[in-house]
Amino acid sequence: MENDRTGALIRTGSPKRGSTRMSKKVAVILSGCGVYDGAEIHESVLTLLRLDQRGAQVKCFAPNIAQHHVINHMTGEEMPETRNVLIESARIARGAIEDIREADITEFDALIIPGGFGAVKNLSDFAAQGAGCKVQAQVLAMAEAFAEAGKPVGLICVSPALAAKIYGPGVTCTIGNDADTAAAITQMGGAHQECDVSDIVEDRDRKLVSTPAYMVAKSIGEAASGINKLVDRVLELVQENEEQVT
């Protein structure tokens, strides 16, 4: 574990496995189904798998809105059809998903948002607007509620591009090493910290954990290495919150 000059933690080792009591409730926001127009499927499944392995209770949410567009994942070409973000996200969640408008953050200890272009096309318009982006209203309200309550949040892949919109200026996060995305984060008032695929960056004051996943990963195994650390650390932060209360 290293400290950078912003006070963020770059964690290069494994989080402490034995310190987390497994009764945590975690909300996961999905953004569709498929890397180019929705949630990144590997990242989403790896997140859900690790949460299940650690004994957490999980509920998935998505906004009930139209996708920005639909991409043919074989050719990369836009298709002449429309799809719904909630309905598409239900594919990943095997139908166990709710409209984000139904979310009650008092029921949850933490929030995790996997990446994929859906995070910057459906949950926000960052892909088109960059630093001038807006976060979808219901997504922003939910994420801000977790932040204001001091509950841990995990942002994966490109979703940390939304961190400054959620937390305001000064928030520290990582998307790995993509210069353009990092520059946009800085322009929005965030502090970007470069990070290897197997590591996480933690903003200690805000209880925000991020990892680059497929912003850097060349394989599902590489993506898993950082995602597992992120999930483990988010659950540790939940435990620390509980210990402070008691």
Side-chain angles (χ1 to χ4, degrees):
M1 182 174 66
E2 303 172 2
N3 270 61
D4 81 331
R5 62 174 178 264
T6 68
L9 291 179
I10 305 171
R11 294 182 175 268
T12 57
S14 298
K16 296 174 289 185
R17 291 293 304 277
S19 62
T20 310
R21 180 175 57 83
M22 286 306 123
S23 59
K24 319 308 180 194
K25 296 182 179 180
V26 181
V28 175
I29 297 178
L30 300 176
S31 58
C33 182
V35 58
Y36 298 126
D37 57 16
E40 213 295 322
I41 296 172
H42 290 179
E43 292 175 359
S44 301
V45 173
L46 288 168
T47 298
L48 296 173
L49 174 61
R50 188 59 169 181
L51 286 166
D52 185 68
Q53 288 174 334
R54 299 306 308 276
Q57 300 178 46
V58 181
K59 183 174 286 188
C60 293
F61 296 92
N64 188 8
I65 59 174
Q67 285 187 187
H68 172 69
H69 60 186
V70 178
I71 298 295
N72 181 324
H73 279 59
M74 292 182 66
T75 67
E77 297 177 352
E78 187 169 350
M79 300 174 68
E81 61 180 272
T82 59
R83 297 189 185 184
N84 177 278
V85 174
L86 178 61
I87 293 172
E88 289 299 294
S89 298
R91 295 174 181 272
I92 295 175
R94 294 173 59 87
I97 194 167
E98 292 187 11
D99 188 326
I100 199 169
R101 291 177 294 185
E102 304 302 319
D104 179 356
I105 77 118
T106 64
E107 297 179 358
F108 299 97
D109 302 305
L111 169 68
I112 297 179
I113 306 178
F117 276 96
V120 293
K121 292 180 178 179
N122 302 327
L123 304 187
S124 74
D125 59 1
F126 179 84
Q129 301 300 324
C133 71
K134 294 182 180 180
V135 180
Q136 197 272 342
Q138 295 153 5
V139 173
L140 181 61
M142 184 174 177
E144 284 182 333
F146 275 89
E148 291 168 3
K151 295 184 177 184
V153 174
L155 299 178
I156 297 169
C157 189
V158 73
S159 67
L162 311 183
K165 297 296 184 179
I166 297 168
Y167 289 92
V171 63
T172 299
C173 61
T174 189
I175 48 80
N177 55 21
D178 182 78
D180 290 342
T181 307
I185 289 171
T186 301
Q187 189 175 348
M188 287 186 282
H192 180 263
Q193 177 63 55
E194 286 197 10
C195 180
D196 291 335
V197 65
S198 61
D199 296 333
I200 58 177
V201 167
E202 178 181 346
D203 186 317
R204 293 176 295 176
D205 292 336
R206 295 168 178 82
K207 300 178 183 176
L208 170 66
V209 187
S210 52
T211 192
Y214 274 109
M215 289 294 288
V216 177
K218 305 299 183 185
S219 69
I220 189 170
E222 286 188 358
S225 63
I227 290 172
N228 288 348
K229 285 183 182 178
L230 178 141
V231 170
D232 289 353
R233 183 56 186 156
V234 165
L235 294 177
E236 285 181 1
L237 289 170
V238 171
Q239 181 70 21
E240 291 175 12
N241 275 357
E242 293 176 351
E243 291 171 353
Q244 289 174 2
V245 171
T246 58

